[in-house]
Amino acid sequence: MSSAEDFTLFPVTVWEKVVLSKVKKAVVFMDDRCAESLHWCGGAARLLEAGARNLKEFSSFEACWENEPKAVFVVSTLLKGRTVDTIKDIVSLSHFRYCVVFTAVAHSVHLFANGVATEPDGSPVFEQFEEKLCEWMGNMNYTAEVAHAPLVFAPVSHQQLLLAPAFAHLFPLLAPDLEVINAKRPEKKKFGSLVDVDVHALPVELQLEIKSLASALSSLFEATNTREESFAVGPMSRIIAGELASHPQAKNRRKTAQNKASIIFVDRTMDLTGAVGHHGDNLVEKILTVLKPLPGHVTDVQVDMLELTGLQRTPHSQTTVAPGCLAQTQSPAAQSLWENMLTSKHKEGVMEVQRQLVEAASKEKLPIKMSMGRVTPEQLCSYMQLFRSSWGALESHCGVLQLGLATAQTLRHPGLPRWDACLAFERLLLQALGDSDFPAVLRQLLPLMKPRGVEDGSGSRSGEDDCGPDELILLLVYLYSLADEAQPADRDAEEEEEEEELEKLERELIGALTLVVTRETELSPLLQKLTGCANPEELTTERAHSAVGEMFKTLRGLSHTRDHLKQLRSVYTASDGVHQATYRPFLRQILEEVFHPDRPECPDIEHTSGGLTDLLKTGFSMFMKVSRPHPGDNALLLLFLVGGVTPSELRLIREIVTTHKPGAQVLVLSTRLLRPTDVPELLFTSRRLRPGVD
């Protein structure tokens, strides 16, 4: 029987057995997505220990000297277009006699990209590229090797989480995407809803991405000798699960595999409330939100290491010392601390950080002073500054110290109070949804729509603690994702009035939010992506108004993402007069169905790997009892969240498993570890299916 750990070890094994065996005496060129996978599998140190001479960015501006004859290229993309141009530029400017290229995209996907329908013998696309490499090196007798290596996964948690950074921007289809798809189809062949869309109707670029993901998952199951039973909830999940089921290698593997596992694909759009809400009582979620991302990475953040040095803080000191990070793969103590922080409550996580720091200081016989009461960032920093006096202690406990610094810097970050402000307002909105119609609830956001630094009615000035444009956008997503939970109109006439009121209110909100955005003195990363402007000087009122208007077009469709479901249609429990209204996570509902002792068949969790067998069972079920595969049939359950998972959801999953089925193994796979602000970026700034871009 395969275990969750077998799956999380897969990325490390691929790096060790495939890539590291080829890097001796080589200069390695690597793109960001593969570098992020390596980052969580041991980092650049693994390459250097394997004999690599250097590690360089995958860029046309890089090259090697005459005394560097061997190169290894590691890329996450197809060997086409810009990737080929970059490899050609580097090889032409260097003096290589031996080149190895690893691509994370399978040969079968390369064939599809080149319009080849049948699977030929060998790997002709890779063989042709080997010839090109020899041409660029200037001698056809030089050595060139091209191979596929599924370097798409990152074991962010060896106990519970496997991410695929290469697919970080893959997001479920939205209502505006359906309009774009239908615009290119004849009237009689237009799709009625997103549920009807099949993979062939998607742009070729998106088809390639989905096929690449299905191929990577097939490699994962093949390496663990596992036969999967696939299930899907949501239109994009159904397409991905279908591609996995029809993958050529997967059909052969399922006949001979010794182990079994269930995998449920779930669209992130089934529950956007949980992704943008601030109810997640989790330390890592706050760290990811307030600290800056590590350059070139989707998941990890920059940790300021200056406090562990004797340097004075100046405007330029941040560029003097390299940043720390959250990925601590070399230290068992740091790995244990990270796992605890990732899946525990905020307070428990902070206390565990303190405990580990005290334990490390005690081991090194440092003069630590304990204090009672709440753990403060100043207290944590005082512990960590003790390590400055001993280089050996600093080196031995560097992993734990980096996680400690990340915690302290988050706790004292000026933006953290806005987390609590958003949480308080979300709770008010939840209560209001059960008592009022949607326009009345939405109108409660209008008083918040004021530029920062402007006096409010009480005469005080709003500032850092108040909601900025990022938080306002998050509240809008939160509320629109719950719009169907509001009290409905009693009559058709009232419904028409409500629709007119909503349109008028949205125009007011668009105007107010436009003003808020244009008054910002510095544009956040989200606003930069939303407006296409890098700084406030570039941003005109017209451009801001257009961006906010487009945003509202997408917002209107968010309340309908679960319309096709029969049972799991709501993530809201209204107040009963005794208990307050609450948010009920979609993942909780799915897992409760899976682990229910009576094993009921949930119509919304669609079995997708049955093919003809499932169709026959459907026919027979009309006149006899037939048994269908159930996600709870196997000891190992994989949950794949298409579009991202939050740290608080990881904690929720662990709690549900402990409560409903102790001993069960659940591994979460996803495209990214979400910050709340990632969701608006994915919702509003993707141009994958917009006209003129496909």
Side-chain angles (χ1 to χ4, degrees):
M1 183 184 77
S2 55
S3 66
E5 192 174 1
D6 293 332
F7 285 81
T8 56
L9 286 174
F10 170 70
V12 179
T13 305
V14 175
W15 279 103
E16 285 179 350
K17 293 188 176 180
V18 181
V19 180
L20 298 187
S21 62
K22 290 287 185 179
V23 301
K24 191 173 184 180
K25 296 183 180 179
V27 176
V28 181
F29 297 87
M30 192 179 300
D31 68 15
D32 286 347
R33 297 288 77 86
C34 287
E36 184 159 8
S37 171
L38 178 64
H39 178 70
W40 291 94
C41 292
R46 300 294 292 270
L47 287 174
L48 300 175
E49 288 165 5
R53 295 181 65 170
N54 201 354
L55 175 61
K56 295 191 175 188
E57 184 182 1
F58 183 67
S59 164
S60 294
F61 298 101
E62 295 286 0
C64 288
W65 301 102
E66 285 188 44
N67 63 346
E68 296 172 318
K70 182 181 177 183
V72 174
F73 296 91
V74 186
V75 296
S76 60
T77 51
L78 280 165
L79 298 179
K80 290 190 75 174
R82 188 180 298 175
T83 301
V84 173
D85 293 340
T86 304
I87 294 175
K88 181 181 178 182
D89 290 342
I90 295 171
V91 173
S92 301
L93 290 168
S94 305
H95 304 83
F96 300 134
R97 296 191 294 276
Y98 184 7
C99 278
V100 182
V101 175
F102 291 110
T103 170
V105 181
H107 186 262
S108 59
V109 182
H110 278 84
L111 290 173
F112 178 81
N114 288 303
V116 180
T118 56
E119 187 86 32
D121 294 331
S123 304
V125 178
F126 291 170
E127 290 162 11
Q128 290 167 18
F129 198 74
E130 287 173 355
E131 292 179 9
K132 286 183 180 179
L133 285 168
C134 290
E135 286 177 24
W136 300 334
M137 285 189 284
N139 190 327
M140 298 305 291
N141 292 320
Y142 285 168
T143 306
E145 299 173 20
V146 178
H148 164 238
L151 303 166
V152 300
F153 296 109
V156 174
S157 162
H158 283 281
Q159 296 177 9
Q160 196 177 0
L161 179 63
L162 199 60
L163 292 185
F167 302 97
H169 297 285
L170 181 65
F171 201 71
L173 299 170
L174 300 163
D177 298 325
L178 181 64
E179 294 174 19
V180 175
I181 292 169
N182 278 337
K184 299 178 181 179
R185 299 176 68 83
E187 191 63 37
K188 290 185 178 179
K189 293 189 176 181
K190 291 186 186 297
F191 296 111
S193 70
L194 287 172
V195 181
D196 304 321
V197 176
D198 57 41
V199 68
H200 307 293
L202 302 176
V204 173
E205 292 81 0
L206 184 52
Q207 288 188 49
L208 286 167
E209 198 170 6
I210 290 170
K211 288 179 182 293
S212 295
L213 176 57
S215 173
L217 288 168
S218 183
S219 298
L220 179 64
F221 287 121
E222 189 169 341
T224 54
N225 195 19
T226 302
R227 171 185 171 172
E228 79 283 2
E229 287 291 348
S230 297
F231 302 84
V233 186
M236 180 65 91
S237 288
R238 185 176 51 80
I239 291 172
I240 295 170
E243 279 299 305
L244 176 60
S246 61
H247 193 271
Q249 283 76 25
K251 292 179 180 178
N252 297 327
R253 168 177 48 75
R254 282 195 288 268
K255 292 176 184 176
T256 58
Q258 300 297 308
N259 304 311
K260 290 183 179 180
S262 300
I263 180 168
I264 306 176
F265 294 88
V266 182
D267 279 9
R268 178 72 265 178
T269 46
M270 296 298 100
D271 185 1
L272 291 170
T273 314
V276 297
H278 293 75
H279 46 260
D281 184 21
N282 181 270
L283 176 58
V284 171
E285 204 157 320
K286 294 173 184 177
I287 290 173
L288 295 177
T289 300
V290 302
L291 298 189
K292 292 180 180 178
L294 199 63
H297 289 245
V298 177
T299 303
D300 214 339
V301 297
Q302 301 180 59
V303 179
D304 187 350
M305 302 291 286
L306 203 66
E307 289 183 68
L308 297 181
T309 72
L311 295 173
Q312 295 295 315
R313 190 171 296 278
T314 68
H316 307 290
S317 58
Q318 277 195 316
T319 57
T320 307
V321 182
C325 62
L326 301 176
Q328 302 300 327
T329 57
Q330 306 299 321
S331 162
Q335 278 187 315
S336 170
L337 176 58
W338 167 248
E339 297 281 356
N340 185 287
M341 292 166 63
L342 193 60
T343 55
S344 63
K345 292 184 177 181
H346 172 92
K347 184 178 179 181
E348 293 167 358
V350 173
M351 290 178 68
E352 181 62 17
V353 170
Q354 182 198 37
R355 190 190 69 78
Q356 291 258 22
L357 288 172
V358 170
E359 191 175 294
S362 300
K363 277 183 182 176
E364 300 296 335
K365 296 183 171 54
L366 297 173
I368 194 163
K369 292 182 180 178
M370 294 293 294
S371 58
M372 302 298 289
R374 189 169 62 91
V375 181
T376 65
E378 292 75 24
Q379 189 181 46
L380 295 177
C381 287
S382 71
Y383 297 158
M384 289 181 282
Q385 286 166 2
L386 295 172
F387 289 82
R388 291 191 300 194
S389 60
S390 170
W391 174 253
L394 195 64
E395 190 175 18
S396 298
H397 304 283
C398 191
V400 171
L401 292 171
Q402 287 177 68
L403 295 175
L405 284 171
T407 301
Q409 288 160 24
T410 298
L411 294 178
R412 68 184 180 204
H413 195 280
L416 194 61
R418 293 202 294 273
W419 182 285
D420 295 329
C422 286
L423 175 60
F425 207 79
E426 286 163 7
R427 286 174 174 167
L428 289 174
L429 293 174
L430 269 183
Q431 306 313 312
L433 280 167
D435 303 324
S436 312
D437 58 23
F438 183 63
V441 181
L442 187 61
R443 187 170 290 280
Q444 295 187 30
L445 290 182
L446 261 179
L448 297 180
M449 299 272 182
K450 57 181 183 293
R452 283 191 276 204
V454 174
E455 285 191 8
D456 58 22
S458 64
S460 63
R461 298 179 69 82
S462 58
E464 278 294 321
D465 291 354
D466 279 346
C467 292
D470 285 15
E471 288 78 24
L472 293 172
I473 291 169
L474 289 175
L475 287 171
L476 283 167
V477 175
Y478 183 89
L479 196 48
Y480 270 89
S481 70
L482 293 168
D484 270 7
E485 311 292 354
Q487 289 296 306
D490 293 333
R491 298 188 301 275
D492 290 344
E494 287 184 7
E495 195 172 321
E496 287 180 20
E497 288 176 17
E498 184 180 311
E499 187 62 33
E500 288 176 12
E501 185 186 353
L502 180 59
E503 288 178 9
K504 181 183 176 184
L505 177 57
E506 285 181 342
R507 287 194 294 271
E508 288 183 59
L509 287 166
I510 290 170
L513 187 55
T514 299
L515 181 62
V516 170
V517 171
T518 53
R519 293 284 184 87
E520 286 290 289
T521 56
E522 186 178 342
L523 298 183
S524 67
L526 173 60
L527 290 183
Q528 289 178 29
K529 288 170 182 168
L530 190 66
T531 61
C533 298
N535 54 65
E537 290 74 31
E538 295 177 32
L539 184 60
T540 62
T541 302
E542 292 76 15
R543 197 162 181 175
H545 191 273
S546 173
V548 174
E550 285 296 315
M551 185 182 81
F552 269 82
K553 287 181 184 177
T554 302
L555 283 171
R556 290 181 196 118
L558 298 186
S559 63
H560 302 295
T561 56
R562 294 185 297 275
D563 281 0
H564 66 285
L565 301 181
K566 297 179 176 65
Q567 182 178 330
L568 310 175
R569 291 177 64 96
S570 175
V571 293
Y572 177 79
T573 303
S575 170
D576 59 4
V578 178
H579 304 95
Q580 289 189 328
T582 55
Y583 154 68
R584 190 158 181 249
F586 192 76
L587 280 180
R588 174 184 289 279
Q589 298 179 55
I590 285 181
L591 289 174
E592 285 176 351
E593 287 293 321
V594 172
F595 295 139
H596 196 287
D598 296 337
R599 297 165 55 80
E601 185 176 319
C602 179
D604 299 328
I605 305 176
E606 179 186 352
H607 183 236
T608 58
S609 54
L612 180 61
T613 306
D614 252 20
L615 290 174
L616 289 171
K617 284 186 177 181
T618 301
F620 283 125
S621 66
M622 290 188 289
F623 52 86
M624 64 182 290
K625 188 176 182 180
V626 295
S627 62
R628 298 174 186 275
H630 187 276
D633 287 343
N634 301 305
L636 177 61
L637 172 65
L638 280 65
L639 276 176
F640 194 113
L641 277 89
V642 182
V645 63
T646 67
S648 57
E649 285 172 334
L650 295 176
R651 180 167 66 84
L652 173 73
I653 291 166
R654 175 170 286 192
E655 288 175 356
I656 293 170
V657 171
T658 303
T659 304
H660 289 77
K661 197 168 183 181
Q665 291 193 77
V666 178
L667 176 66
V668 179
L669 293 89
S670 192
T671 48
R672 65 195 297 163
L673 193 59
L674 284 172
R675 305 162 175 83
T677 50
D678 287 341
V679 179
E681 178 191 327
L682 291 164
L683 283 172
F684 307 131
T685 66
S686 169
R687 295 292 180 266
R688 186 181 62 217
L689 295 183
R690 301 300 181 260
V693 179
D694 300 342

